[in-house]
Amino acid sequence: MAEQARVVGSLPVANVQELAEACNAGVDDDQQVPERYLSKDPSTEEVVARACVIPVIDLHKLQDPQTSEEECAKLASACLNWGLFQLINHGVPDEVTRNLMNDVVEFLKQPLQAKKECSQQADSLEGYGPAFVVSEDQKLEWADMLYLQVHPSESRELRFWPTRPASFRRSVDVYSLEGRELAYRLLEFMAKGVGADPASLRGVFQGQTQGMRVNYYPPCRQQADRVLGLRPHTDVGGLTLLLQMNHDVQGLQVRKDGKWFAVQAVDGALVVNVGDVLEIVSNGRFTSVEHRAVIHPTKERISVALFHNPYQNTVVGPLPEFMKGDKVRYRSTNYQDFLKLYFTAKLDGRKHVERLKLEQ
């Protein structure tokens, strides 16, 4: 669910959708999966706890005066102990999410040459292609992605925005607006859950930047246990909303207490997770969750992530409203500098946000 990384020059990285089709057609030849994508050693495979209960938060209960206090406390606990939750009754109309996903699928179904019209370029974070390619010898993800800067509208690079299907831009506009308003409401409830001023947390992100990333994870029939859709990482920014198309295909996993937990998606729910900036401004009252995406051997998985972040020239540090006599636990940093370090390093768990922690 992390934001898109800068492409290194014009590295010759394959289109994974076509690569997967070729590999899956030759099920008896393991060597068809290139070595650069084989990023896990089965002999040291980490234990994944499959039976777990990811917190489920109900927006109706958050908004109801009779249940709001209890649900806010539950929300704050989820953001501290898990760093993510599934949101039901989120209020985004079914028609809006359906239109977006239909257009995403139509875009992905196009021939490669048509999608290349939106290809990443060396001078931009946006466009269609692989994610987090920062060197010529690193392991690669089994995924194709389309990252777009959505808000503010004047920051958009329309050369990367698909023109087919014709309704794509309209669908993104409508969904992203719904997502922004929902994210702002959630930030207020998160602050309320820890006794902080709701306006303070909302103010860090309101009206600032929003990015959208389409994630396509093709199946890998031969060696699904040896490839990753996304390596372990935290999201660099604030609050991420994840819309998943294939609720029956497990792929998202989160790390807690040294174990990986598979997120069993609730039908119709949004997965919401805390990013690095939210951990910092909350002085650790919320936890930026380490997560990864694994691959199914026979089924594709499609998701859309919305990232809500501060402007790059913002200085981020613990907010006074979240201190309440506690020690300052994180160094303040310019968000642009924070981003530069994030985008020039390989994904590496929680190490990025841990660098800003102060010794206590």
Side-chain angles (χ1 to χ4, degrees), residues 38-55:
L38 301 180
S39 57
K40 293 196 294 182
D41 181 352
S43 66
T44 59
E45 186 174 349
E46 296 163 292
V47 175
V48 176
R50 298 188 182 277
C52 64
V53 180
I54 303 297

Side-chain angles (χ1 to χ4, degrees), residues 339-352:
L339 280 175
K340 285 180 180 178
L341 287 173
Y342 188 85
F343 286 136
T344 54
K346 298 177 183 179
L347 297 185
D348 197 8
R350 278 184 46 87
K351 288 186 178 179
H352 188 60

Side-chain angles (χ1 to χ4, degrees), residues 292-314:
R292 67 183 182 184
V294 298
I295 300 301
H296 195 279
T298 60
K299 297 179 180 179
E300 67 180 9
R301 179 168 165 260
I302 299 172
S303 64
V304 177
L306 279 179
F307 305 100
H308 301 87
N309 307 317
Y311 282 128
Q312 290 194 20
N313 60 359
T314 302

Side-chain angles (χ1 to χ4, degrees), residues 230-277:
L230 268 179
R231 293 187 299 278
H233 67 285
T234 58
D235 288 352
V236 67
L239 199 66
T240 302
L241 308 182
L242 185 72
L243 174 66
Q244 300 184 92
M245 179 177 173
N246 323 70
H247 287 92
D248 61 326
V249 182
Q250 285 190 359
L252 177 63
Q253 297 180 349
V254 297
R255 190 173 179 87
K256 185 179 188 300
D257 301 329
K259 294 183 179 180
W260 286 104
F261 291 80
V263 177
Q264 180 64 58
V266 174
D267 193 19
L270 291 171
V271 177
V272 183
N273 73 271
V274 173
D276 295 346
V277 170

Side-chain angles (χ1 to χ4, degrees), residues 51-59 62 70-88 186 252 254-256 261-266 269-274 289:
C52 64
V53 180
I54 303 297
V56 176
I57 302 298
D58 189 333
L59 184 62
L62 288 172
E70 181 179 354
E71 197 72 3
C72 280
K74 182 180 175 184
L75 171 63
S77 175
C79 291
L80 172 63
N81 295 308
W82 283 91
L84 91 164
F85 55 91
Q86 299 199 65
L87 184 69
I88 60 174
L186 288 173
L252 177 63
V254 297
R255 190 173 179 87
K256 185 179 188 300
F261 291 80
V263 177
Q264 180 64 58
V266 174
L270 291 171
V271 177
V272 183
N273 73 271
V274 173
V289 62

Side-chain angles (χ1 to χ4, degrees), residues 130-149:
F132 295 98
V133 181
V134 298
S135 72
E136 297 195 17
D137 58 353
Q138 74 181 75
K139 293 296 184 180
L140 298 175
E141 277 89 4
W142 195 256
D144 285 328
M145 302 186 179
L146 172 68
Y147 180 75
L148 302 172
Q149 188 69 26

Side-chain angles (χ1 to χ4, degrees), residues 140-186:
L140 298 175
E141 277 89 4
W142 195 256
D144 285 328
M145 302 186 179
L146 172 68
Y147 180 75
L148 302 172
Q149 188 69 26
V150 178
H151 184 79
S153 57
E154 59 268 23
S155 69
R156 296 179 178 182
E157 291 278 0
L158 293 179
R159 57 181 168 156
F160 300 115
W161 286 61
T163 57
R164 295 184 298 271
S167 54
F168 185 93
R169 295 183 181 184
R170 170 64 178 168
S171 296
V172 171
D173 274 339
V174 175
Y175 178 70
S176 64
L177 177 59
E178 293 278 355
R180 283 198 300 278
E181 294 304 316
L182 175 58
Y184 300 155
R185 288 197 296 272
L186 288 173

Side-chain angles (χ1 to χ4, degrees), residues 4 9 21 38 66 99 102 131 188 225 245 298 307 309 324 341 355:
Q4 192 80 326
E21 290 173 0
L38 301 180
Q66 294 186 343
N99 288 344
N102 286 344
E188 290 182 337
D225 62 335
M245 179 177 173
T298 60
F307 305 100
N309 307 317
K324 292 192 173 179
L341 287 173
R355 295 189 188 102

